[in-house]
Amino acid sequence: MTTAQTSRFDPATLRADFPILAHEVHRGVPLTYLDNAATTHAPRQVLDCIRETMERHYANVHRGIHALSEQSTELYENARGKLRQFFGAEHADEIIFTRGTTESINVVARSWGDANLQQGDEILLTEMEHHANLVPWFQAAERTGAKVRCVPITDDGELDMDEFAKMLSPKTKVVGVVAISNVLGTINPLETIVAAARKVGAIVVVDGAQQAPHQRVNLAELDVDFYAASGHKMLGPSGIGILYGKRGLLRDMPPFLGGGAMIRRVTTEGFEAAEPPARFEAGTPPIVAAIALGATVDYLAQINMDAVEEHERTLANLAQEKLLALGGIRVLGPTADKKVGIVSFVVDGVHAHDVAQRLDKHGVAVRAGHHCTMPLHKRLGVAASSRASFYVYNTVEDVDRLVAGVEETQKFFRRGK
Amino acid sequence: MNEEEIYREHVLDHYEDPFQKGECPGVTHAHQDDNPLCGDVVRMELRIDEDGKIADAWFDGTGCCISQASASMLTETIQGKTVDEAKEFAADHMLELFGARLTPNRQKCCLLSWRVLQTALFSPKDGEANGG
């Protein structure tokens, strides 16, 4: 098996770090896990961190005077520091721990949105957004009277930047955009979008769920206002994610959830909110998951994010090429050079669920459905698609198993035709 | 461990060569619905006579093998039954009729036509001449 073509790291060696990959989901069939855009598996280093934290350092954070509480607090804040570094943020207090991308965007829509939006304002989103970057804004629009508009995509699955330029106006208060589409894999031109938004005074909220795991991100350079990401899509545990917000914006924002940790003082008359990031971390946070996310970004940084991107692009290109060579297959989205790590496809005459069900027999795990992007699927004119998404531990063999499985599926449903 | 085969012969037979797929002549009752999650669509058209019998049943739709094959099986089963019998045909009966064991996600595909039928029984087609 060839692995040399991919990169500076050897995925075959790396796989030894991931216990679940050695596990047979169906007896006698190796697991080919290609559902990484939905969630990813954790390496031993992250699993060890979880165990060690629970066994030796666990207590509530920011509360106690006792030794364990101090250790736990230090580890928790160290993790915040690691995330600051990984994402290239200027200050650690710009990193808020949340449950994930969805919660992060909801915090922005509730807190910043409710305080700043009003009738006549526009929220500019795109047709390729995940529901997580649509629904919170529809809700904010209902509360404030602002209006949501969606920038269309081109037939090639890229943002229609001419339309974006036309739709952007002084009325636009928020531009919400997905950095990398979870269906098309399209990499959106964030620099151009930020520069244009600045001119009309709109803030830019980026759904980074599919970018953070797969590309080097430098938030200070990108100059976005808010950025959301999920730990479980980047080799970490579920239930933890981050919201990055510019310090100046966060300091002016009211808290969203109220409770412990987010206050400076409470009286019987009312409360004073704490400074960020605590202001947005009400209640006991996912302590262990946050610490484990610190270990996760250590692991990714060690592999090197540029190498990660290169590896995934190579695999996705290969998969796209081989699937198209089968014939009777439509791959959604732009050409391989404009996307990363994701190949969504439709098999002529076979529903996506039947494709996924059939592939499962071969141990190949892909996602089937609309992938939380109903408007996008409507635009593409398909009810559902199958999606293969790659990560650091995938190999050329995985691509071969996918393609062989799809070929068998085609034959299976074409019997007698 | 892989369970029993979902795509059994009789499932594939119904999928590839469905029973009364199309428009029901003299339709008196009809309903259509979808599974927004996967985009499966099923429409049921019935001709119910004065005696409360389903004299004719047809279905139409698009979607996965499970949703379309089960719609075909259901259409064949209720053809000639009384409305009361069709109302008594419960979700469990539908899953039994399908045969292969389905995970909860795929059960939704299988039960789409059954849901549509249960509503169709109560949905007279307005403005439609009642043939009989």
Side-chain angles (χ1 to χ4, degrees), chain A residues 197-269:
Chain A
R198 288 282 166 265
K199 284 187 188 151
V200 299
I203 62 156
V204 180
V205 183
V206 174
D207 168 358
Q210 299 296 343
Q211 182 184 43
H214 309 293
Q215 273 192 325
R216 180 181 301 281
V217 177
N218 188 304
L219 291 172
E221 272 175 27
L222 264 183
D223 194 34
V224 299
D225 297 287
F226 295 101
Y227 190 94
S230 295
H232 71 97
K233 292 196 197 287
M234 49 198 295
L235 308 179
S238 62
I240 187 74
I242 61 133
L243 168 63
Y244 159 87
K246 276 191 176 162
R247 190 185 247 181
L249 288 169
L250 289 177
R251 283 186 175 170
D252 285 340
M253 280 159 56
F256 165 38
L257 291 176
M262 51 68 69
I263 45 88
R264 183 163 175 267
R265 190 196 322 272
V266 179
T267 67
T268 51
E269 316 296 312

Side-chain angles (χ1 to χ4, degrees), chain A residues 94-98 104 107-108 226-228 241-245 250:
Chain A
E94 294 177 319
I95 303 289
I96 295 158
F97 283 121
T98 65
S104 297
V107 169
V108 179
F226 295 101
Y227 190 94
I242 61 133
L243 168 63
Y244 159 87
L250 289 177

Side-chain angles (χ1 to χ4, degrees), chain A residues 24-27 349-355 357-358 360-361 368-370 374 383-384 412-415 417, chain B residues 1-3 5-9 12-13 15-16 36-40 62-66 103 105-106 109:
Chain A
E24 285 180 357
V25 180
H26 300 307
R27 194 182 297 165
V350 189
H351 190 276
H353 277 182
D354 295 323
V355 174
Q357 188 97 51
R358 206 64 208 159
D360 182 59
K361 264 185 101 74
H370 55 57
M374 290 173 98
F412 182 81
F413 284 102
R414 268 185 208 151
R415 43 168 228 164
K417 277 181 196 168
Chain B
M1 181 59 200
N2 207 353
E3 313 138 6
E5 177 61 57
I6 288 176
Y7 302 110
R8 292 175 179 178
E9 277 303 309
L12 290 170
D13 287 345
Y15 180 55
E16 286 164 4
L37 279 179
C38 44
D40 296 338
T62 54
C64 71
C65 176
I66 309 299
T103 57
N105 274 332
R106 300 312 301 268
C109 308

Side-chain angles (χ1 to χ4, degrees), chain A residues 50-372:
Chain A
I50 292 171
R51 186 178 190 90
E52 197 181 306
T53 304
M54 289 299 283
E55 285 184 350
R56 296 191 202 160
H57 311 294
Y58 183 74
N60 211 332
V61 291
H62 302 138
R63 304 280 203 287
I65 305 292
H66 59 82
L68 277 184
S69 177
E70 277 175 3
Q71 284 175 30
S72 191
T73 303
E74 194 186 335
L75 288 171
Y76 182 74
E77 291 305 324
N78 277 349
R80 197 190 304 278
K82 287 177 181 184
L83 283 147
R84 180 205 70 74
Q85 196 179 6
F86 184 79
F87 284 107
E90 244 178 292
H91 312 287
D93 59 24
E94 294 177 319
I95 303 289
I96 295 158
F97 283 121
T98 65
R99 281 193 300 139
T101 303
T102 297
E103 182 176 301
S104 297
I105 295 170
N106 273 276
V107 169
V108 179
R110 286 271 174 182
S111 173
W112 191 93
D114 285 13
N116 293 283
L117 293 171
Q118 57 187 0
Q119 194 113 31
D121 290 346
E122 288 183 357
I123 301 162
L124 194 55
L125 309 175
T126 84
E127 218 170 27
M128 67 167 89
E129 294 310 302
H130 187 282
H131 296 165
N133 204 21
L134 289 169
V135 180
W137 296 112
F138 284 126
Q139 292 175 308
E142 271 174 28
R143 292 191 302 272
T144 62
K147 194 176 151 204
V148 172
R149 301 181 72 195
C150 283
V151 178
I153 59 166
T154 64
D155 292 337
D156 300 331
E158 293 177 72
L159 276 187
D160 187 332
M161 292 305 286
D162 292 340
E163 278 302 312
F164 170 74
K166 277 186 219 157
M167 293 170 81
L168 190 72
S169 80
K171 285 189 198 167
T172 313
K173 291 294 178 295
V174 178
V175 174
V177 63
V178 67
I180 293 180
S181 160
N182 70 315
V183 175
L184 307 168
T186 312
I187 302 166
N188 284 324
L190 291 182
E191 291 82 359
T192 314
I193 290 168
V194 170
R198 288 282 166 265
K199 284 187 188 151
V200 299
I203 62 156
V204 180
V205 183
V206 174
D207 168 358
Q210 299 296 343
Q211 182 184 43
H214 309 293
Q215 273 192 325
R216 180 181 301 281
V217 177
N218 188 304
L219 291 172
E221 272 175 27
L222 264 183
D223 194 34
V224 299
D225 297 287
F226 295 101
Y227 190 94
S230 295
H232 71 97
K233 292 196 197 287
M234 49 198 295
L235 308 179
S238 62
I240 187 74
I242 61 133
L243 168 63
Y244 159 87
K246 276 191 176 162
R247 190 185 247 181
L249 288 169
L250 289 177
R251 283 186 175 170
D252 285 340
M253 280 159 56
F256 165 38
L257 291 176
M262 51 68 69
I263 45 88
R264 183 163 175 267
R265 190 196 322 272
V266 179
T267 67
T268 51
E269 316 296 312
F271 74 96
E272 253 176 69
E275 290 298 311
R279 187 184 298 170
F280 303 100
E281 294 182 359
T284 296
I287 300 166
V288 181
I291 295 168
L293 188 55
T296 307
V297 296
D298 280 348
Y299 185 86
L300 282 173
Q302 200 198 338
I303 299 176
N304 181 309
M305 289 309 291
D306 296 328
V308 169
E309 182 179 351
E310 190 184 314
H311 172 67
E312 288 171 30
R313 182 167 284 126
T314 307
L315 290 183
N317 282 3
L318 190 64
Q320 183 151 339
E321 210 174 276
K322 289 190 168 189
L323 284 173
L324 288 172
L326 291 177
I329 299 219
R330 174 183 171 196
V331 171
L332 308 178
T335 48
D337 55 311
K338 287 175 181 160
K339 64 183 196 177
V340 72
I342 290 173
V343 181
S344 291
F345 59 97
V346 178
V347 180
D348 285 353
V350 189
H351 190 276
H353 277 182
D354 295 323
V355 174
Q357 188 97 51
R358 206 64 208 159
L359 286 177
D360 182 59
K361 264 185 101 74
H362 300 273
V364 180
V366 299
R367 172 93 184 253
H370 55 57
H371 320 298
C372 293

Side-chain angles (χ1 to χ4, degrees), chain B residues 103-121:
Chain B
T103 57
N105 274 332
R106 300 312 301 268
Q107 285 183 13
K108 286 178 202 150
C109 308
C110 177
L111 291 175
L112 172 60
S113 55
W114 174 82
R115 267 199 299 124
V116 169
L117 169 70
Q118 292 305 325
T119 308
L121 292 168

